[in-house]
Amino acid sequence: MKKMKKLLALMLALAMVLSLAACTTGENSDPSGAPSGDPAASGEPAPSQAVTSEDGVIAPITPEELGSGTVKWTEEKTADGWYKVTNEGGKTLGYSKDSGVALIQVDGFAFKDLDRDGVLDGYEDWRNSNEDRARDLANQMGVEEMTPLFTHGGWRSFGSTIEGDDLTYVQEGGRGGVTRSAINQGNTTMAVDWTNALQALCEATGSWGIPATISVDPSHISNTIDQNSLAAIMSKDEAFALGVEHGKQYRATGVTMLLGPQIGIGTQPTMTRATGTFTEDPALGRDLADAYISGLQSTFDESGKDLGWGEDSVYAIAKHYVGDGAPEGGRNDHMDAGKFDVFPGNNFAAHLIPFHDGAFNLSMSSTKECGVMPNYAISYSRDGSLGELVGGGYSTYKMSFLYDNDYQGFILTDWQITNDGQQCFGVEDLTMTERFAALYKSGMHQIGGTADNAAAAEGYELVVDELGEEEALKILRNAVYHFVLSQFQCGLYENAYISLDNAIDTVWNNDTDAAAKEQQLKSVIMLKNSGNVIAQSDGSKKTVYVPYAFNSGSAASSSSDATPPQWEPVFDLDVAGKYFDVVTDTVGEPSGEPGEDGNPTYTPNDIIRAKASDVAACDLILMHMNAPSQDSAQTEDGTWLPASLQYGEYTATNARRESLAGTVTTETINDGYYGSKSQDVKENRSYAGNTVGQDKNYAQLELLQYLNGIKGNAKLVVMMSKASGPSVMVWSEVEPLADAILFYYGSTSWFFEETLLDIVSGAVEPSGLLPFQMPASMDAVEAQDEDVPRDLECYVDADGNVYDFTYGLNWSGKIDDERVKTYSAEPLTTPSTIEFHYAD
C-alpha cells in the first residue's frame, strides 16, 4: 500500500512538473503553489514542490546527491550520542545513526528520511505546514499501523534501555505514554538518557519513524507552584510567565504533552480534587487558562517574540471537560463514589467558560487552541437535558459543544475508561472492545491509560461492521491526524532528542529555586493579622517558639516504605534560625514498642515541652498545620459518610436527605398479594444524619489549643498548608486561637519554608488573594448548590473580616487593588464564544 501510494504520487508530480513552466525555489518563489500554512511566511525556506493528490498525500521529491551543489547544512555528534544537523535558516534536526534513518538533501537542505525510502515525503519536509504534513502521514498509513496510535499508555521503564512492556508497545506501533519520573528532582540525567533511548527506538521501529509522545500530569517541577497557588496571585502575566517556564522545563526533560492544566471550575466546596484546578470563578478560570496555556504552547525568541509552535512548546490537554467541579458530595470522580456531577442551580453553562472562552480561544498565543480531556463523571439530569447518563468521553451532548463549534484540537480521554472497573461510567454493560468502538464514534482521538493495541484494532473492526469501511477509515484517519499533528507542532519529527547540558541548565538548579520562591511569595494569603503581628521588619531579630509535633508514621505502600512514629519540629530549626532566635522543645528517648528494626519507637509521651515562662517571653509562636480534609465515602455496610472541612467530627444534620443522582436499577418484588412485579429503583447516596469522625490531622488542632493556652504575651502565628483534598476549610476551630494566619496551597515538600518565614519576619509583604470562598460552617456547605460559584455564606473572623473570594490582607490591611475590582464582579453564567444549548 505504501509503495503504491508513492508511485501514484510520483506519477502525478511528473505530470504537473511537465505542465509547469518552472518550479522556483528560495525566498523569491511564488507562494501560490505552497500548501496552506507555508513556512516561508516566517522566513523559512519554501518548498520546492508542493503537489498534493486528492487523498491528501503530497508528492515525494527525488533528492539530490548528499553533499552536492550548494550545501546549506552541517552535522555534528552531540555529547549525548545523537547527531545534530543545522540547516541555514531552516530547522535543526536530530537523529540516531543506529536507527537506520539517514539524511537526504533537497535544494541544499538536509531532511530526515524517516521511512527510509530514498525520497523526500511531504511529512518529512519541514518546509511544509504542520497540518499538511500530518495529513500526508495519516493518509499514507495502513489500518494496522494506525490503530495502535489510538492508545496512550504509561511508560514503565526508566533507564538507559527500553525493555519489557514499553519495548513491546513500541514494536506494536504505540507511541503515547505518561511518566512522572522524568520531571522529578534527581532524575535529570536519567530522564535525558531514557528519552533519547526511547526516541531512538521509535525512530528505528515501524515504517514511518513516528516519535514518542511523552506526557506528564501537572507537577511541581523545579518547585514551581501549583494551580491553586497561581490562582491566588490572580495575574494573567504571572500565569503566562509560568507557562513559558514550564514549557522550557518540561521540554528539557523530554516531555512534550501536559495532561493539564485542570481548568474546570471547582464550585463544590468539598470537591476532593479542587487542589488540582484554578478556582471556582469562571472569569478567573478563563483568564488563567488562556494565559498559562498560551505561555506553555508557544515558543519565544530572546526578545519575547511569539514564534508559535516550536522547540519549547508543550501541547496542553485542558481538563476535565466538562462539569467535574460539581460532584455530588464532593466525591472523587476517579472512583465509583464520585460518578455523578449534579447541577441543582442549572449552571452547567458556566462550567464551559474556562474551556471555550479561555483554553480554546487563546488571546496571548498564536497557537490559538489546545487539546482537551473529557471528564470521568456523568452529568446527571432526570429529564435528559444534559445528555445520556454516560461519562464525559462517551457523551455526544458534551462533544457537540466541541464539534458544533469547529473545535480543531486533540481529544484524549481520561485514564482507563475502556477498562472494566470504576471509570467506565454509564457503559458498564459494554465489553472493552465495544467501548473502544463507542469512543471511535464519539470523536475521541486517543484513549488514555491503555496500551491494549489489540482491543483498539478489534474496536475499529466493530466500527467497520456498523458504519462500513469507508466511514470507519475516515474516523480512524482523523484520529491519527490529530495525534501526529500534535507531534509535528512540537517539532518532534525534526528533533525528538534532548541534551543533558540544557536539562541541567533548565531544571532543578539555583536559578529555578529563586524563580520558584518568587512566585511562591506572591501566592501566600494573609487571612488574619490582629494588631499587625506581621509587619514590615524594623531590622531586629525576634525570638520565636517552634514546637515539636508528633507524627504517628505510616504503613508501607506500593509507592513508599513504612515510616516509624517520630517527633518533628513544625519548622526546620536551622531554617527558622536564619530569621529568629529559636526556643523549642526537647525530644526524649523513645519509649514505645520495638519497630521493624528492633529499636524502640517514639510515642506521644516522649517530649519535654519548653517551659511556659520561656514561651510567654517569646515574640511569636510559629505553628504549621495541614488543613482538614475528609472525602465522602461509603462504609462496608453501604452507609454513606459526609465529607468534612473541619478537624472535629461532623454530623450532617442539614444535608440533603435524598441524593440528586443515583444509579437506577430494576428490581423484582413480591408484595404477597398481587404477585411479582418489576419497578425501577434509584440509589440514594445521601449521607444525611450520618457522622464522620475526627480528621487525621486532629492532633494538630490539639497542639494549637495547647499553644494558645501557654502563649502568655507571645503572638501565635498559624501557617496552614493545603497538601491535598478540597481547597477550602471551616475556620471556626482555628481562627479564634491565632493572632495571625497565613494560608497557602501546597506542601513543604516543594513549598520553601523560607517563603513563609520571609513573610512572617516582615521581609516580604503578602499579596495573595483567596481564589475560593471559605465557608462559615458545614451547614453553609450543605446549603450551597454544587454547580454555582461563590454562593456560600462565608466565614467572618474576630476582626470582622469576611473570608470571601478575592479576600486577602497586606501590611496596610485589606487588599483592594485592580485584581479585586476585576474579579469581584458577579460570576459569569454562560460562555461568550459559543451558543449554549441543552440536549434535546
Side-chain angles (χ1 to χ4, degrees):
M1 176 180 177
K2 176 177 173 181
K3 290 183 177 179
M4 180 59 71
K5 280 184 174 260
K6 299 229 170 165
L7 178 60
L8 292 173
L10 281 168
M11 292 174 64
L12 177 59
L14 178 61
M16 294 193 70
V17 167
L18 292 174
S19 67
L20 295 172
C23 285
T24 59
T25 63
E27 60 184 10
N28 295 320
S29 63
D30 181 2
S32 63
S36 61
D38 180 13
S42 62
E44 294 177 1
S48 60
Q49 192 172 14
V51 180
T52 306
S53 64
E54 291 183 0
D55 64 359
V57 177
I58 300 172
I61 300 172
T62 301
E64 59 218 33
E65 183 180 350
L66 196 66
S68 63
T70 303
V71 177
K72 303 174 184 177
W73 57 274
T74 58
E75 181 180 38
E76 61 179 319
K77 185 177 182 179
T78 68
D80 301 290
W82 51 273
Y83 283 80
K84 179 180 179 181
V85 180
T86 303
N87 282 292
E88 296 176 11
K91 297 294 185 181
T92 298
L93 314 180
Y95 75 108
S96 168
K97 291 202 172 183
D98 295 332
S99 70
V101 167
L103 296 179
I104 52 180
Q105 181 178 305
V106 172
D107 296 336
F109 297 106
F111 302 84
K112 292 195 292 184
D113 187 13
L114 292 168
D115 61 358
R116 308 170 189 83
D117 64 352
V119 296
L120 180 63
D121 295 282
Y123 84 96
E124 297 167 336
D125 191 339
W126 42 260
R127 300 169 301 180
N128 291 327
S129 72
N130 292 324
E131 291 77 10
D132 285 347
R133 296 175 72 187
R135 192 174 299 110
D136 177 79
L137 176 56
N139 287 342
Q140 291 189 69
M141 297 179 70
V143 168
E144 69 285 352
E145 296 170 316
M146 289 191 289
T147 54
L149 298 181
F150 198 58
T151 65
H152 192 117
W155 303 115
R156 300 183 181 184
S157 61
F158 194 70
S160 57
T161 58
I162 310 302
E163 302 171 341
D165 291 340
D166 286 350
L167 177 60
T168 301
Y169 181 60
V170 170
Q171 289 173 333
E172 290 177 348
R175 289 297 187 273
V178 63
T179 181
R180 293 176 177 86
S181 299
I183 47 81
N184 291 339
Q185 186 171 12
N187 279 358
T188 302
T189 299
M190 189 64 73
V192 172
D193 290 344
W194 173 76
T195 297
N196 291 339
L198 177 62
Q199 297 296 4
L201 172 66
C202 291
E203 194 172 78
T205 306
S207 301
W208 305 99
I210 297 174
T213 288
I214 300 171
S215 62
V216 70
D217 289 308
S219 69
H220 308 299
I221 187 171
S222 301
N223 296 309
T224 49
I225 58 177
D226 63 6
Q227 291 186 215
N228 281 179
S229 301
L230 186 56
I233 301 176
M234 289 194 191
S235 165
K236 291 185 69 173
D237 290 341
E238 290 289 342
F240 180 81
L242 183 60
V244 171
E245 185 61 27
H246 272 168
K248 294 176 181 177
Q249 293 191 17
Y250 286 138
R251 287 302 297 264
T253 54
V255 172
T256 56
M257 181 176 285
L258 176 66
L259 304 179
Q262 183 179 330
I263 66 173
I265 52 175
T267 52
Q268 161 61 297
T270 60
M271 178 187 172
T272 304
R273 289 175 55 81
T275 49
T277 193
F278 286 123
T279 178
E280 65 178 300
D281 184 70
L284 180 59
R286 172 202 62 199
D287 290 352
L288 294 178
D290 176 3
Y292 176 79
I293 296 171
S294 290
L296 183 77
Q297 290 193 161
S298 275
T299 292
F300 302 87
D301 66 14
E302 293 182 358
S303 68
K305 179 183 178 182
D306 182 356
L307 304 177
W309 294 105
E311 62 182 10
D312 292 332
S313 298
V314 173
Y315 198 96
I317 305 293
K319 61 185 184 185
H320 301 90
Y321 189 83
V322 62
D324 69 323
E328 188 163 22
R331 298 162 187 149
N332 187 346
D333 67 359
H334 286 54
M335 297 176 286
D336 184 77
K339 71 187 293 183
F340 294 111
D341 294 328
V342 293
F343 301 88
N346 297 315
N347 203 42
F348 180 83
H351 292 252
L352 291 163
I353 292 172
F355 292 93
H356 289 276
D357 293 356
F360 306 154
N361 190 40
L362 300 178
S363 66
M364 302 174 73
S365 169
S366 60
T367 62
K368 299 303 182 186
E369 66 185 5
C370 68
V372 67
M373 178 182 289
N375 64 323
Y376 280 125
I378 298 167
S379 293
Y380 188 84
S381 63
R382 293 184 61 189
D383 60 1
S385 60
L386 297 179
E388 189 179 0
L389 297 181
V390 292
Y394 295 95
S395 172
T396 56
Y397 170 63
K398 291 181 180 179
M399 291 305 105
S400 72
F401 288 113
L402 296 176
Y403 288 116
D404 291 352
N405 290 282
D406 198 33
Y407 172 73
Q408 299 296 319
F410 177 57
I411 308 176
L412 171 64
T413 77
D414 214 330
W415 258 224
Q416 299 180 339
I417 66 170
T418 54
N419 291 9
D420 294 330
Q422 296 185 338
Q423 283 95 21
C424 54
F425 301 141
V427 293
E428 292 91 344
D429 292 341
L430 299 182
T431 66
M432 182 185 294
T433 300
E434 290 170 336
R435 292 175 197 140
F436 267 95
L439 293 168
Y440 277 118
K441 292 184 293 182
S442 72
M444 298 301 104
H445 299 143
Q446 207 168 59
I447 311 305
T450 179
D452 195 334
N453 295 325
E458 292 165 1
Y460 172 77
E461 291 304 321
L462 288 184
V463 179
V464 172
D465 293 342
E466 181 179 349
L467 302 180
E469 186 172 3
E470 182 178 353
E471 183 63 24
L473 190 57
K474 180 180 177 181
I475 290 172
L476 180 58
R477 288 205 193 284
N478 182 60
V480 170
Y481 164 80
H482 281 90
F483 173 59
V484 299
L485 175 60
S486 73
Q487 295 185 312
F488 280 113
Q489 288 169 326
C490 292
L492 287 177
Y493 288 80
E494 277 63 71
N495 185 17
Y497 298 90
I498 58 176
S499 158
L500 180 58
D501 287 344
N502 179 61
I504 290 175
D505 287 343
T506 306
V507 298
W508 299 111
N509 56 50
N510 291 337
D511 289 339
T512 61
D513 281 353
K517 184 182 176 185
E518 183 179 348
Q519 285 200 317
Q520 289 179 19
L521 283 165
K522 295 174 182 177
S523 73
V524 176
I525 307 160
M526 185 159 66
L527 295 178
K528 185 177 183 181
N529 193 26
S530 293
N532 293 322
V533 173
I534 298 176
Q536 186 172 10
S537 173
D538 60 6
S540 62
K541 195 171 186 180
K542 295 181 179 180
T543 301
V544 303
Y545 171 46
V546 179
Y548 273 71
F550 184 67
N551 184 333
S552 60
S554 64
S557 68
S558 59
S559 59
S560 62
D561 296 329
T563 58
Q566 55 190 317
W567 281 96
E568 300 171 317
V570 297
F571 270 88
D572 184 289
L573 298 178
D574 291 334
V575 175
K578 298 176 183 178
Y579 295 83
F580 306 106
D581 293 323
V582 176
V583 173
T584 191
D585 303 323
T586 301
V587 180
E589 293 296 322
S591 61
E593 295 295 324
E596 293 182 359
D597 60 2
N599 296 319
T601 56
Y602 282 104
T603 75
N605 299 319
D606 300 329
I607 189 73
I608 303 171
R609 292 293 185 189
K611 293 180 180 179
S613 58
D614 291 339
V615 174
C618 291
D619 298 299
L620 304 173
I621 300 173
L622 302 186
M623 177 58 187
H624 188 277
M625 300 176 69
N626 295 312
S629 170
Q630 294 196 75
D631 195 5
S632 174
Q634 193 174 27
T635 64
E636 291 183 0
D637 66 2
T639 300
W640 288 98
L641 300 180
S644 177
L645 303 175
Q646 62 188 36
Y647 290 100
E649 71 174 30
Y650 165 59
T651 301
T653 305
N654 295 316
R656 188 182 290 131
R657 295 191 175 277
E658 181 179 345
S659 62
L660 295 177
T663 301
V664 176
T665 57
T666 301
E667 296 183 0
T668 300
I669 62 172
N670 191 323
D671 62 7
Y673 187 76
Y674 290 106
S676 297
K677 63 179 181 180
S678 296
Q679 66 179 25
D680 289 341
V681 178
K682 183 175 79 70
E683 169 192 28
N684 185 10
R685 294 176 163 226
S686 171
Y687 48 76
N690 298 334
T691 300
V692 64
Q694 296 174 347
D695 185 79
K696 63 183 178 182
N697 296 313
Y698 186 79
Q700 296 177 4
L701 176 62
E702 293 180 312
L703 177 55
L704 180 67
Q705 293 166 341
Y706 165 78
L707 296 173
N708 184 69
I710 67 164
K711 71 176 186 176
N713 294 323
K715 300 299 183 182
L716 183 53
V717 180
V718 176
M719 278 74 70
M720 301 295 301
S721 165
K722 180 64 78 168
S724 62
S727 297
V728 304
M729 63 175 282
V730 173
W731 287 95
S732 55
E733 299 162 304
V734 175
E735 180 270 323
L737 306 179
D739 298 287
I741 297 175
L742 297 179
F743 187 63
Y744 73 103
Y745 295 100
S747 73
T748 50
S749 64
W750 62 267
F751 203 103
F752 300 132
E753 290 185 324
E754 290 90 342
T755 298
L756 297 172
L757 297 181
D758 272 348
I759 293 177
V760 175
S761 67
V764 176
E765 186 173 20
S767 60
L769 303 172
L770 284 176
F772 297 88
Q773 291 180 318
M774 297 290 162
S777 63
M778 284 305 301
D779 283 345
V781 172
E782 302 296 358
Q784 185 258 0
D785 284 334
E786 287 91 337
D787 58 324
V788 178
R790 297 164 50 191
D791 64 341
L792 274 172
E793 176 192 355
C794 295
Y795 183 76
V796 182
D797 71 10
D799 296 329
N801 288 315
V802 181
Y803 292 4
D804 203 348
F805 174 72
T806 73
Y807 167 73
L809 301 173
N810 57 23
W811 291 335
S812 302
K814 185 178 177 181
I815 298 171
D816 186 22
D817 56 17
E818 286 302 313
R819 298 173 300 164
V820 176
K821 292 179 175 63
T822 298
Y823 292 113
S824 60
E826 286 296 310
L828 301 174
T829 58
T830 190
S832 62
T833 55
I834 66 169
E835 190 72 29
F836 175 75
H837 64 87
Y838 285 106
D840 295 332

